[in-house]
Amino acid sequence: MELLQGTLDLLILKAVSLGPLHGYGVLQRIQQISRHRLEIQQGSLYPALYRLEDQGWIASEWGESENKRKAKYYRLTADGRKRLQSEEARWNRMAEVIAGILATKPEEL
Amino acid sequence: MRLWHRIGAWTAANLRRSRMETEMEAEMRFHVEACAEDLERGGMARSEALRQARQEFGGVEQAKEQCRDARGVTLVENFLQDVKFGARMLRKNPGFTLVAVLTLALGIGANAAIFTVIDAVLLRPLEVRQPEELAAVGDPTRVHSWSTGTPLTSSFSYPLYREVRDQNQVFSSLLAASRLDNARIMIEKGAEDLRVRLVSENYFETLGVQAWIGRTFTAADGGAPGKDPIAVISYAYWQKRFAKNAAVLGRTVELNGVPMTIIGVTGPRFEGEVVEYQPDLWAPLMMEPQLMPQKAYLENANISALLLVGRRKPGVTLLQVKANLDELVRRAWTGPLAGLLSADDRTAVRDNKIDVEVSAGGRGLSQVRAEFGEPLWLLMGMVGLVLVVASINVANLMLARSAARQREMAVRLAIGAGPARVVRQLLTESLLLAGLGGAVGVLLAKWGAAALVRMAEAGGGVRNRLELDWRVLGFTAAVCLVSATLFGLGPALRFVNVKAASALAEGSRTSGSKRKWKTGRLLLGAQIAVGVFVLMGAGLLVRSLWKLKEADLGYNRDKLLLVRVDFGASGYRGEAIHAATAELLERFRSMPGVKAATASTNGLYSGSESADTILLDGAPPANGDKDSADDEIGPNYFSTIGVPMVLGREITREDFARRARVAVVNETFAKRYFGERNPLGHTVGIQDSEHPNTPPYEIIGVAKDVRDHNVRKPAKRRMYAPLNAGGFDETGAFNFEIRTETPGALTATVRKTVLGLNPGMMMDDPETANDLVGETLGSQVMAARLSTLFGGLVLLLVCVGLYGAMAYNVATRTKEIGLRMALGIPRGSVLWMVAKEAWLVLAIGALAGVPAGIAGSRVFRSLLFEVDGGDPVAIGWSILLLIGVCLAAAIAPARRAMRVEPMVALRYE
């Protein structure tokens, strides 16, 4: 499925909250935890990562990958954790509201 | 918190742009390779895996650009790109760049110059601790004034100051300062005149000024008069006279004959509390009786020579200060100081409302500010208009150039640069131009400001204060921005409307140019309107100045030489003063070339004035105006200074010989108190409890009004009594009026004559009456000269602009002109066709400018003298000058139009 607009940020935060990852690793993890049901545009991944870092939700650090190559790792910051929580709550509330609207029967009007 | 983080990240990102680039490159490469490796593990060949990985990733450049955007780096990147490109463009068109930069430098530089002066005189705070806490008490423009008589609150007497200082509840500290007349210092063998300020012992403490070396005055130095002969000198004087030698501390110098020890030097930036007066030396007020023995005033409640500055306690407002001081002064005069006042004065202070003037003191005391404030702001407005005209010229230049750049812009738009980007590029170029113009302008400004001050004859004190501080530079930068927007926005927005496709075709040139000429015409018309406006203003000010200089002041100012001699300060007392006055008069009269000589206490433009309560026929005046200005005059005063008598006769030598108690009054006096009746024969007396029982004077003549202190204001009612007849306060200084055909030639001789009587005589330099009057017109002179200069600048700019526009017009219409000529239309009418456009612009501009000028002149009405906005001479001159300019500008293009060869023109298809 294609991503709904604006959800990439949320997914990245969630992915990184489970442990520090480099960019490719974030992509893999998202695909993994979504059980490959989501289509991520790879080109939009890095702009999103840079934006999130600029806003202070994630922080980056150069480190070593599994096969001893230099890679930039991202981790969730304390502010990022709070942000993830609030965005998660908002998402759930929104889903509830939409579901409620969609479930309305003609008689209830 | 969030915002700071963002700003920090943005700055960091911009500063480390190249590092970010390499990091991004590495990161994305890693991603692609990691992806390829996974595919390889799945069995794909290496090259195939890499290809697929890259494909899956998508456009790397696009991703990078988006990343740069996310970090906010693109803005700065683009700006730098624009600047580099713009600089290249400017270099490729040196002619255009030169003209534009010079034009802008003129406009911006003139603005910066005026603002430098405004900053020095009107805006800059004192170099003291927290100047916003200071309050000035008294009239802050009376920096050199001195009042004897009924006590005032526009300046303070020392006893009153002491009361206020000790009893107030609003100041943590209150200082008093005054001038020291004729200060002369002797250091070892050398003597020189010096600028000295007498200050209370808490002066430096109140202002919060530290000594650079040594120490400043403290409260302990205020013990008793004459006890502490110490002085503090300024850094500038220390540099000039003592070569910054620290051994100056403890040295003794002689000030007005009194030995004083130098105890400290102030820092380089402190220059006193008066804007236009930078003292070389500060002496304690407690030394005043020693330094000015004949005018000792520390215990005299009638001599008001002090201005006060206080530091407000926290939370105290100026209104509270005023309320407290009004109350305090009343209590002082009715209580502790009552004993020092005469009965008349006590009545006077009881009857008059006490209204202490309190104002913010942070910017110091200044007389120059009051005089030059309004003209300066007026000139600021005018010079702003000069900038507008200059900007319009540059805008026209840019519009003209836009034809050449249409293709470039179209290409840009075609390859996908958004219109915003193109506009940004053009605006950046405008900013570059404005920046260059501003840089050159700032260089001109410092020099221009000094020239301006010299033109205004405002004195060296102001000139020393001129500097390009952050306020001036900030103002210049703002002006550059405004100017860039003015001349850059129009052409830039123009481009956005150009459709890419149509602009790439050749034919679009002609249609575009027609539209540009229309806008060009509008701008030209605006320039001419502004030109008329400025020229009218200048014309009005020049006419005013001329009228002021030629005004009938009631006396003959061309043939009068005036000199003021201070006998009291020179050591004379009592009868000796009268004898010396008579002796000098004799000597003057016997000088070759002198027609007559006389003396007076106040005289003409001497800077001194007096007034007294009068009695008419023994009783206070019926109409309630119990005061009148007065003067004591020598024999034949009126005939000497050239004032006719309207009624009766003047006071003669015979009157003096028999000590007749006679007086003359002026027309205003006669009209005020006697109306249509004849005042001759009535008596006028002085009511002054310090000179009780003074016999009254018989009025023997009415003289024509004389404008003796102020050219603009009408004469006050005045009575003239004979010199030394008694009844008036003795000042010991007299003005001598010498009538001669050649006043200028006699200046040296007069000086020698006075010094011949007494080599140490304290005197002012002899000056002609005309010069003295001229000195009071300093601000008027400045306004007239500068507005003329700006008018000239505007004319020059309009000429250049008009020339450029017309030349461009002819150049683009060469084909049309050639066609018309080929069809047989005579050259004359072709010329008319070209000229017609210019006249239209001129007519519309003038029509718009004249009413604007008339309306605008109301703003500076107070500077005008006997002319008003609708003055036909001023309007006439402005129009004539502009017509002249238009003619001059049109000559070359017109000639070129005439010389068009039809065949050649038509061939250039």
Side-chain angles (χ1 to χ4, degrees):
Chain A
M1 281 193 299
E2 257 186 31
L3 271 188
L4 288 177
Q5 211 174 23
T7 52
L8 181 59
D9 285 10
L10 184 55
L11 295 179
I12 292 176
L13 286 178
K14 180 64 185 177
V16 166
S17 75
L18 302 170
L21 291 167
H22 51 63
Y24 186 61
V26 169
L27 185 69
Q28 285 188 310
R29 180 160 295 170
I30 293 177
Q31 289 184 330
Q32 179 193 9
I33 55 184
S34 72
R35 291 187 255 275
H36 297 271
R37 285 184 293 181
L38 286 179
E39 272 169 42
I40 315 273
Q41 293 282 49
Q42 289 201 23
S44 50
L45 179 67
Y46 284 95
L49 282 169
Y50 273 53
R51 188 174 55 246
L52 289 171
E53 186 180 0
D54 195 54
Q55 286 170 327
W57 312 130
I58 59 180
S60 68
E61 207 172 35
W62 281 93
E64 248 183 28
S65 73
E66 307 83 33
N67 41 6
K68 307 288 186 218
R69 284 226 298 277
K70 276 196 23 155
K72 202 184 207 188
Y73 281 83
Y74 295 92
R75 61 172 175 79
L76 197 62
T77 61
D79 286 331
R81 196 166 295 279
K82 283 190 243 167
R83 176 86 175 165
L84 175 59
Q85 282 169 351
S86 67
E87 285 299 290
E88 206 179 305
R90 205 159 68 91
W91 174 268
N92 288 328
R93 270 200 311 274
M94 182 61 87
E96 207 181 300
V97 168
I98 302 281
I101 292 172
L102 293 174
T104 309
K105 296 200 184 28
E107 309 79 79
E108 292 171 13
L109 284 170
Chain B
M1 185 47 203
R2 181 97 275 123
L3 183 63
W4 280 125
H5 186 273
R6 294 292 302 276
I7 292 176
W10 183 85
T11 323
N14 274 303
L15 289 174
R16 291 188 244 132
R17 271 199 323 281
S18 60
R19 196 166 83 162
M20 183 174 125
E21 292 297 313
T22 41
E23 282 190 5
M24 262 199 314
E25 177 69 37
E27 200 178 353
M28 294 192 190
R29 198 169 355 116
F30 173 84
H31 182 115
V32 168
E33 280 175 3
C35 186
E37 266 167 42
D38 278 351
L39 289 171
E40 258 182 280
R41 250 180 297 223
M44 217 182 269
R46 172 118 185 116
S47 51
E48 180 66 22
L50 267 176
R51 197 188 59 80
Q52 182 145 339
R54 282 205 193 101
Q55 200 177 32
E56 273 184 24
F57 191 83
V60 175
E61 272 314 314
Q62 239 165 330
K64 278 196 193 168
E65 185 69 15
Q66 282 178 351
C67 284
R68 289 191 203 110
D69 258 334
R71 281 291 164 82
V73 168
T74 40
L75 213 62
V76 175
E77 278 270 331
N78 290 346
F79 182 67
L80 289 176
Q81 248 180 349
D82 288 345
V83 169
K84 270 196 278 223
F85 186 75
R88 199 151 30 111
M89 277 282 106
L90 292 181
R91 259 203 304 272
K92 272 186 12 194
N93 290 289
F96 162 81
T97 311
L98 193 68
V99 173
V101 169
L102 279 179
T103 309
L104 287 170
L106 260 178
I108 298 178
N111 271 279
I114 299 269
F115 189 79
T116 307
V117 179
I118 288 185
D119 178 56
V121 173
L122 299 173
L123 299 178
R124 196 182 313 151
L126 291 174
E127 293 286 341
V128 298
R129 176 171 59 92
Q130 287 176 296
E132 64 279 1
E133 289 176 359
L134 297 175
V137 181
D139 182 352
T141 66
R142 296 184 61 145
V143 291
H144 294 306
S145 295
W146 175 297
S147 262
T148 315
T150 309
L152 306 170
T153 53
S154 51
S155 47
F156 280 65
S157 66
Y158 190 81
L160 186 59
Y161 158 67
R162 209 171 32 207
E163 273 300 304
V164 174
R165 182 194 65 197
D166 295 336
Q167 303 295 329
N168 83 82
Q169 294 159 323
V170 288
F171 290 125
S172 56
S173 180
L174 179 67
L175 66 87
S178 176
R179 68 181 211 219
L180 177 64
D181 286 339
N182 304 315
R184 216 164 158 70
I185 196 172
M186 186 114 115
I187 308 171
E188 276 154 10
K189 293 289 171 11
E192 64 177 340
D193 291 326
L194 207 63
R195 287 191 299 258
V196 175
R197 200 114 172 104
L198 287 176
V199 298
S200 55
E201 59 276 4
N202 59 2
Y203 176 83
F204 294 99
E205 194 189 301
T206 309
L207 294 177
V209 171
Q210 312 280 17
W212 188 253
I213 59 167
R215 69 173 184 90
T216 59
F217 301 152
T218 60
D221 298 319
K227 188 171 78 72
D228 296 287
I230 52 179
V232 173
I233 59 174
S234 72
Y235 189 89
Y237 190 62
W238 183 44
Q239 198 169 24
K240 184 170 92 165
R241 195 50 70 223
F242 297 98
K244 298 216 275 183
N245 188 339
V248 73
L249 296 181
R251 261 180 89 158
T252 307
V253 295
E254 238 182 57
L255 183 64
N256 286 6
V258 178
M260 313 272 279
T261 312
I262 298 177
I263 59 161
V265 179
T266 56
R269 293 205 58 87
F270 178 65
E271 292 178 326
E273 82 284 11
V274 177
V275 169
E276 59 265 22
Y277 188 76
Q278 291 97 26
D280 301 309
L281 185 146
W282 289 271
L285 257 182
M286 280 295 165
M287 293 299 297
E288 191 268 339
Q290 283 71 28
L291 293 167
M292 281 202 285
Q294 71 288 356
K295 290 189 200 155
Y297 59 63
L298 290 182
E299 294 305 321
N300 190 329
N302 291 95
I303 299 185
S304 308
L306 304 175
L307 284 178
L308 316 182
V309 177
R311 188 171 290 277
R312 290 179 283 136
K313 289 188 177 152
V316 171
T317 66
L318 288 177
L319 279 170
Q320 288 170 320
V321 169
K322 180 172 163 56
N324 187 224
L325 292 186
D326 282 344
E327 180 55 37
L328 264 183
V329 168
R330 173 181 306 285
R331 265 196 273 141
W333 277 339
T334 51
L337 299 184
L340 294 171
L341 296 177
S342 66
D344 286 334
D345 289 335
R346 273 199 294 273
T347 322
V349 302
R350 196 186 55 223
D351 292 342
N352 297 337
K353 186 172 171 318
I354 293 179
D355 187 18
V356 177
E357 190 174 335
V358 174
S359 54
R363 285 173 298 130
L365 312 168
S366 174
Q367 183 181 25
V368 166
R369 187 181 293 155
E371 194 190 333
F372 285 88
E374 194 178 336
L376 276 174
W377 285 119
L378 171 67
L379 289 169
M380 187 86 239
M382 272 196 180
V383 85
L385 288 175
V386 171
L387 183 67
V388 167
V389 172
S391 299
I392 293 181
N393 261 9
V394 179
N396 267 336
L397 273 175
M398 294 196 80
L399 275 176
R401 229 172 44 114
S402 69
R405 296 186 66 184
Q406 252 180 343
R407 294 201 82 205
E408 171 206 334
M409 291 301 141
V411 169
R412 277 180 172 237
L413 288 171
I415 62 170
R421 186 92 175 72
V422 175
V423 171
R424 263 213 311 255
Q425 160 71 36
L426 292 170
L427 280 179
T428 311
E429 278 179 41
S430 307
L431 267 175
L432 257 182
L433 269 179
L436 282 171
V440 179
V442 162
L443 286 176
L444 291 175
K446 181 92 192 275
W447 170 86
L452 204 161
V453 170
R454 218 167 338 185
M455 206 190 285
E457 292 152 18
V462 177
R463 207 161 42 233
N464 294 337
R465 268 184 73 108
L466 297 174
E467 70 179 45
L468 298 170
D469 60 13
W470 64 265
R471 255 183 308 267
V472 173
L473 291 173
F475 172 80
T476 310
V479 166
C480 287
L481 268 173
V482 167
S483 173
T485 317
L486 267 179
F487 69 75
L489 205 57
L493 288 176
R494 247 293 149 71
F495 276 120
V496 179
N497 293 332
V498 171
K499 288 209 163 45
S502 68
L504 284 169
E506 292 289 311
S508 65
R509 254 185 300 163
T510 33
S511 62
S513 65
K514 253 258 167 75
R515 210 178 23 164
K516 283 180 178 57
W517 174 232
K518 203 150 184 244
T519 322
R521 248 194 308 195
L522 205 69
L523 291 174
L524 270 174
Q527 273 185 314
I528 296 207
V530 171
V532 169
F533 188 78
V534 171
L535 283 172
M536 274 182 66
L540 288 173
L541 286 169
V542 168
R543 292 252 307 152
S544 289
L545 180 64
W546 187 82
K547 290 215 170 203
L548 277 169
K549 288 195 162 172
E550 299 295 313
D552 177 18
L553 300 174
Y555 58 92
N556 198 334
R557 52 166 145 167
D558 291 324
K559 302 199 169 30
L560 269 183
L561 192 60
L562 306 171
V563 60
R564 184 174 171 83
V565 179
D566 196 346
F567 296 103
S570 313
Y572 293 75
R573 296 280 177 275
E575 261 310 302
I577 298 182
H578 305 159
T581 313
E583 176 63 32
L584 267 184
L585 276 176
E586 274 310 311
R587 294 200 185 186
F588 287 147
R589 284 189 192 118
S590 58
M591 275 168 50
V594 169
K595 293 250 170 82
T598 186
S600 63
T601 309
N602 293 323
L604 307 164
Y605 290 90
S606 62
S608 83
E609 170 69 294
S610 55
D612 277 294
T613 316
I614 57 164
L615 299 167
L616 290 176
D617 295 322
N623 63 5
D625 289 327
K626 35 192 185 58
D627 295 323
S628 168
D630 51 35
D631 202 356
E632 299 166 86
I633 54 177
N636 303 324
Y637 177 77
F638 294 99
S639 51
T640 305
I641 65 174
V643 172
M645 302 300 291
V646 172
L647 269 182
R649 62 176 184 84
E650 63 170 345
I651 306 174
T652 61
R653 293 228 208 159
E654 289 73 46
D655 294 316
F656 268 88
R658 60 187 175 92
R659 295 182 165 267
R661 297 202 68 77
V662 289
V664 169
V665 299
N666 68 1
E667 285 175 301
T668 310
F669 186 104
K671 205 180 319 180
R672 196 81 191 85
Y673 292 119
F674 295 95
E676 297 301 323
R677 293 178 294 143
N678 188 339
L680 299 185
H682 291 269
T683 67
V684 56
I686 304 296
Q687 162 112 315
D688 187 347
S689 51
E690 296 206 4
H691 307 276
N693 306 319
T694 317
Y697 304 90
E698 184 193 337
I699 300 177
I700 57 162
V702 178
K704 191 156 174 294
D705 280 338
V706 172
R707 294 207 189 176
D708 44 30
H709 284 77
N710 190 311
V711 182
R712 296 165 161 276
K713 299 204 201 125
K716 292 194 258 196
R717 54 179 181 274
R718 193 181 294 275
M719 62 156 281
Y720 300 84
L723 211 51
N724 307 320
F728 297 95
D729 297 324
E730 282 273 327
T731 57
F734 293 105
N735 303 293
F736 290 89
E737 293 85 15
I738 301 167
R739 165 110 164 218
T740 160
E741 291 295 315
T742 53
L746 285 181
T747 329
T749 327
V750 164
R751 192 151 208 283
K752 243 194 316 180
T753 312
V754 174
L755 293 176
L757 186 65
N758 181 342
M761 193 76 87
M762 294 290 194
M763 61 180 280
D764 291 340
D765 270 330
E767 287 189 80
T768 65
N770 235 344
D771 287 342
L772 276 180
V773 172
E775 277 170 25
T776 64
L777 298 177
S779 66
Q780 202 77 31
V781 168
M782 174 186 80
R785 285 186 182 167
L786 279 174
S787 58
T788 309
L789 177 70
F790 295 148
L793 268 178
V794 169
L795 275 177
L796 178 68
L797 289 168
V798 166
C799 187
V800 169
L802 196 61
Y803 168 79
M806 291 194 69
Y808 179 78
N809 190 27
V810 168
T812 51
R813 292 169 76 181
T814 317
K815 212 168 40 173
E816 185 188 336
I817 295 173
L819 191 62
R820 286 177 186 239
M821 287 196 188
L823 287 176
I825 295 176
R827 287 184 190 262
S829 62
V830 167
L831 187 62
W832 173 240
M833 182 188 83
V834 170
K836 180 170 62 168
E837 311 266 343
W839 291 125
L840 199 64
V841 167
L842 176 62
I844 294 182
L847 270 171
V850 170
I854 296 180
S857 70
R858 298 176 79 79
V859 172
F860 54 95
R861 212 174 11 210
S862 62
L863 288 172
L864 297 179
F865 181 74
E866 289 182 10
V867 291
D868 67 21
D871 186 53
V873 175
I875 298 179
W877 267 111
S878 328
I879 308 277
L880 267 174
L881 281 168
L882 272 164
I883 293 181
V885 156
C886 287
L887 276 173
I891 291 179
R895 265 215 298 226
R896 202 172 312 152
M898 295 279 278
R899 284 204 234 116
V900 167
E901 289 297 327
M903 288 290 108
V904 174
L906 287 174
R907 215 183 307 145
Y908 269 106
E909 190 67 20

